[in-house]
Amino acid sequence: MVNIKDVAKACNVSIATASRALRHTGYVNKEKRKAIIEKANELGYIVDNNAQTLKKGKSMTIGIIVSDIENFFYNMVLQNLITEFAKYGYRVIISYSFEDAEIEKDCIKFLLSSKVDALIFTPISNTNQDLINLIRKRNIPLLQLFRQAYPEVDAICVDDGYGAYIATKHFLSKNLNKVMLLSVKLPFTPSRSKGYKLAMSEHHIAVDENLIQRFPLGKTIEPKLIELIERYKPEAIIAGTNTFGLDAIEAMRKLNVQIPLIVFDNLDWLKLLEISTIAQPIKEIHEQTVDNIISKLNTKHYISPESGLNVRIRPELIIRKSA
């Protein structure tokens, strides 16, 4: 395996000069830097980040565990996080838990073994408390995103209850009282049904629990939706995720019905189809996430003994033709 000594020898420079050129640190003559990089590429040399981690005590990497690989909204947030963290010199290592607590545990262990400087994750459950305690003991910045399963750990969540509230209020204002809510069947996620019920209560309408349907993530709900629409004949539908929204559109197409629809997550395809949305504030989410982690890395004052920060960001309702 080619090492830094081989590159330095081939370029007739010191190891220190070769290292500065390849790591873009310190001063190296422009022409000499170019020659060293070209020779390193020719020899097949790859910078050993593990050595730098041992030397600096930092890997300059941030681990992110994404819970739902099919939810494009998560990918939009992830794209922004990668770009923003890069401005501070940090790379991102991504892992997927697939809404499974055991896989989540393996992801956390993998990222810890990779010596990440900070960890961001969307928790599946609160069953990995032992690893959370270990992370805190090691003084590694930790942040929960979209859910808060561990109350002692900082969390940044979107107030989906408020999103369901304003969506329900909109339909009720148009005298559409049989509103079906397609919510997620997960612990620790902000409750959409609470906002839905509050709006119903304010309009003095009795809540029909049959119109509140909860589903796990990761599987299509289209066949079940066809059955539910035929049985309960809702006058309007609120889809709690963009994937539920896609299934609702397909179910309506197969039934040849048009039901007013509002979908969570303001994705491009929803804009194209002129579908009303509960728009998650992506810019605010990634800005607060980056600020939380970078400030912790810079100050090293981030361990709360009992109760973590819980930031709730409010979404907004965007009305289009579908509602």
Side-chain angles (χ1 to χ4, degrees):
M1 182 179 293
V2 178
N3 58 40
I4 190 71
K5 292 180 181 178
D6 299 321
V7 177
K9 183 178 179 180
C11 296
N12 195 29
V13 298
S14 68
I15 294 174
T17 299
S19 179
R20 289 198 302 274
L22 295 171
R23 297 181 188 281
H24 299 278
T25 59
Y27 175 76
V28 178
N29 176 277
K30 186 177 179 180
E31 287 75 20
K32 185 175 289 185
R33 183 189 298 274
K34 181 181 177 182
I36 293 170
I37 292 172
E38 288 177 351
K39 179 56 69 174
N41 290 336
E42 179 186 327
L43 295 174
Y45 173 74
I46 297 176
V47 175
D48 184 1
N49 286 321
N50 289 328
Q52 287 299 301
T53 299
L54 290 172
K55 183 177 179 181
K56 295 181 178 179
K58 294 180 69 175
S59 66
M60 298 305 294
T61 58
I62 293 170
I64 300 180
I65 302 175
V66 180
S67 62
D68 184 5
I69 196 171
E70 293 186 356
N71 192 329
F72 189 68
F73 172 71
Y74 285 177
N75 293 329
M76 291 172 64
V77 175
L78 192 60
Q79 179 181 357
N80 283 284
L81 290 179
I82 292 170
T83 302
E84 289 301 309
F85 281 129
K87 295 177 181 178
Y88 294 90
Y90 286 91
R91 296 185 180 89
V92 169
I93 301 177
I94 304 165
S95 190
Y96 291 92
S97 63
F98 302 100
E99 299 291 352
D100 186 298
E102 284 301 311
I103 296 177
E104 178 185 78
K105 178 180 289 187
D106 290 339
C107 291
I108 294 173
K109 289 180 177 179
F110 164 72
L111 292 172
L112 289 177
S113 69
S114 300
K115 308 295 184 185
V116 294
D117 296 321
L119 178 62
I120 302 167
F121 73 122
T122 301
I124 310 306
S125 69
N126 61 356
T127 59
N128 289 320
Q129 186 70 60
D130 56 334
L131 288 174
I132 300 303
N133 292 341
L134 176 62
I135 292 169
R136 286 163 58 81
K137 186 176 180 179
R138 291 186 180 181
N139 223 28
I140 298 172
L142 182 63
L143 178 66
Q144 299 170 102
L145 196 55
F146 304 122
R147 303 171 195 157
Q148 187 171 33
Y150 303 94
E152 73 277 18
V153 177
D154 286 0
I156 295 175
C157 303
V158 177
D159 192 344
D160 289 332
Y162 176 75
Y165 170 79
I166 57 178
T168 307
K169 290 275 286 186
H170 171 75
F171 284 138
L172 296 179
S173 70
K174 300 183 71 173
N175 294 318
L176 300 171
N177 296 339
K178 288 188 67 176
V179 182
M180 178 172 284
L181 173 65
L182 310 178
S183 192
V184 295
K185 192 176 183 179
L186 285 170
F188 310 111
T189 189
S191 176
R192 295 163 176 80
S193 62
K194 285 184 179 178
Y196 171 92
K197 290 180 178 180
L198 177 60
M200 288 289 186
S201 174
E202 290 180 353
H203 282 256
H204 307 290
I205 298 172
V207 174
D208 182 353
E209 293 290 343
N210 291 315
L211 293 175
I212 302 176
Q213 296 290 328
R214 298 175 177 85
F215 302 94
L217 297 176
K219 295 182 180 179
T220 180
I221 64 170
E222 179 200 317
K224 183 64 177 177
L225 273 184
I226 291 174
E227 175 190 330
L228 291 170
I229 291 171
E230 288 184 316
R231 182 187 303 174
Y232 298 114
K233 296 180 172 48
E235 297 173 339
I237 295 175
I238 301 170
T241 71
N242 60 83
T243 53
F244 290 173
L246 190 60
D247 286 337
I249 292 168
E250 186 62 17
M252 286 189 280
R253 186 186 69 81
K254 289 185 177 179
L255 290 170
N256 195 28
V257 296
Q258 290 292 326
I259 302 172
L261 175 67
I262 295 176
V263 179
F264 274 66
D265 309 334
N266 190 31
L267 305 185
D268 287 342
W269 66 269
L270 291 166
K271 299 175 189 176
L272 181 65
L273 296 177
E274 296 188 274
I275 294 173
S276 299
T277 62
I278 296 296
Q280 313 276 28
I282 292 177
K283 185 174 185 292
E284 189 175 354
I285 292 169
H286 86 253
E287 284 179 348
Q288 292 218 31
T289 299
V290 171
D291 181 68
N292 183 284
I293 292 295
I294 294 299
S295 64
K296 290 174 179 177
L297 288 168
N298 289 340
T299 65
K300 297 191 180 297
H301 296 298
Y302 46 81
I303 297 298
S304 172
E306 296 177 359
S307 180
L309 178 72
N310 189 339
V311 176
R312 293 285 175 129
I313 302 174
R314 282 193 163 185
E316 66 173 320
L317 174 62
I318 298 176
I319 298 298
R320 301 190 180 101
K321 287 185 177 180
S322 70

